[in-house]
Amino acid sequence: MKFHVLTLFPEIPRAFFESSIMAKAVQKGIIAYDLVNIRDFALDKHKTCDDSPYGGGAGMVMMTTPLASALNSVKPKRKRVIYVTPSGKKFTQNMAYELSRESDLVLICGRYEGIDQRIIDSYVDDEISIGDYVLSSGEVAATVIIDAVYRLIDGVIASESLEEESFSDGLLEYPQYTRPEEFLEQKVPDILLSGHHKNIRAWRLKQRLAKTLRMRPDLIAKARDNGKLTKEAEKMIEEITRIGEH
Ligand code: ADE
């Protein structure tokens, strides 16, 4: 998979691509990236990339020609073009899975008050928001999307880790403990020291359900609608809510 990031500030995504697991995945050739500086396609000597909006209003809009030229410079024919914007569809783990199957992802990082609608209509496949808040930088939002996507690509992370993590089946994660057995006057739950795998699995499921009920009851309803709650899970939910465990 290759990420093509169209940006006025390539140093922001570059720092990310050059660090930790991401850099390793690049080194191994599992992923590749291309940082396209939109400013390189500006037409005047000042490298102007913004202009005032037709109809008036606050702020500036990204100029059409430099952005269109930057998009045209991305050569692969089969590519998915994403405009990262607070006005887009909300990003989810399912979207991350779907995007991880593409061969070339193009991300347009918005700045100013946004980009010209005609660019969206002509080039963009998806408008994606990372949440209901406004960041000053589309680069940070694009980096969030890239992070969620690249780690799902085969070979980046062990598949068992992906299977157990939050959202993979619609529930939040169970609590984790490591050494020492007692820390800050709190003991690791006995069951985790018992070596009894069946009981540990059931305990973890119950912990996940209790945490999801407490933090994100909407996810319980969604998991139920998607048929992801087993009879065992439903029974546990009943117990948790009956004794107010969550
Ligand atoms: N740019 C600024 N805020 C954003 C958000 N919440 N999601 C995506 N892009 C953004």
Side-chain angles (χ1 to χ4, degrees):
M1 143 99 70
K2 184 164 182 178
F3 294 100
H4 307 258
V5 186
L6 274 59
T7 166
L8 288 167
F9 297 89
E11 60 276 16
I12 301 174
R14 179 174 295 117
F16 178 65
F17 280 114
E18 288 179 355
S19 60
S20 81
I21 308 178
M22 187 74 166
K24 253 188 224 145
V26 173
Q27 229 172 32
K28 282 193 212 160
I30 301 170
I31 58 166
Y33 66 97
D34 180 22
L35 301 171
V36 182
N37 192 338
I38 300 164
R39 214 173 284 287
D40 291 344
F41 298 87
L43 297 172
D44 63 340
K45 69 171 195 275
H46 301 294
K47 302 277 177 198
T48 311
C49 283
D50 61 337
D51 205 345
S52 47
Y54 276 117
M60 301 291 270
V61 176
M62 203 183 287
M63 276 173 76
T64 49
T65 307
L67 182 52
S69 305
L71 280 159
N72 292 335
S73 79
V74 180
K75 288 298 169 222
K77 272 216 175 69
R78 228 184 64 87
K79 56 189 176 227
R80 181 107 166 238
V81 179
I82 291 164
Y83 171 39
V84 183
T85 165
S87 322
K89 247 197 224 162
K90 206 188 281 182
F91 189 54
T92 62
Q93 187 67 19
N94 277 346
M95 275 190 204
Y97 272 110
E98 199 217 317
L99 295 178
S100 72
R101 292 191 276 271
E102 297 287 339
S103 59
D104 285 85
L105 272 192
V106 181
L107 294 115
I108 305 171
C109 303
R111 281 269 164 168
Y112 317 120
E113 290 305 305
I115 65 176
D116 191 295
Q117 185 60 39
R118 292 163 296 182
I119 295 269
I120 299 175
D121 295 343
S122 305
Y123 288 93
V124 171
D125 297 304
D126 308 88
E127 294 175 75
I128 299 182
S129 164
I130 61 160
D132 291 342
Y133 41 80
V134 179
L135 304 171
S136 54
S137 148
E139 284 76 11
V140 171
T143 306
V144 167
I145 294 171
I146 294 165
D147 193 336
V149 170
Y150 94 92
R151 59 193 295 287
L152 300 176
I153 296 169
D154 275 354
V156 176
I157 284 177
S159 54
E160 312 86 71
S161 312
L162 295 179
E163 274 161 28
E164 284 203 354
E165 69 188 9
S166 295
F167 296 113
S168 60
D169 62 0
L171 299 177
L172 304 183
E173 275 196 65
Y174 52 77
Q176 298 278 15
Y177 297 86
T178 184
R179 279 181 287 194
E181 251 182 68
E182 191 172 331
F183 182 64
L184 299 176
E185 290 173 25
Q186 296 169 78
K187 284 203 68 196
V188 172
D190 285 339
I191 196 151
L192 297 179
L193 309 173
S194 69
H196 196 302
H197 297 297
K198 217 171 129 206
N199 289 353
I200 292 174
R201 192 204 58 79
W203 180 85
R204 283 180 165 164
L205 175 59
K206 196 164 179 183
Q207 293 291 317
R208 298 182 74 200
L209 291 163
K211 175 135 198 201
T212 312
L213 278 166
R214 196 164 67 237
M215 299 285 185
R216 295 289 306 274
D218 57 306
L219 292 179
I220 294 281
K222 208 156 132 196
R224 188 172 284 132
D225 288 349
N226 293 337
K228 287 201 170 145
L229 291 183
T230 56
K231 269 205 189 109
E232 182 191 21
E234 290 288 11
K235 217 173 122 208
M236 285 176 178
I237 290 174
E238 213 183 282
E239 278 167 25
I240 295 163
T241 41
R242 187 154 28 89
I243 37 178
E245 262 182 46
H246 71 301

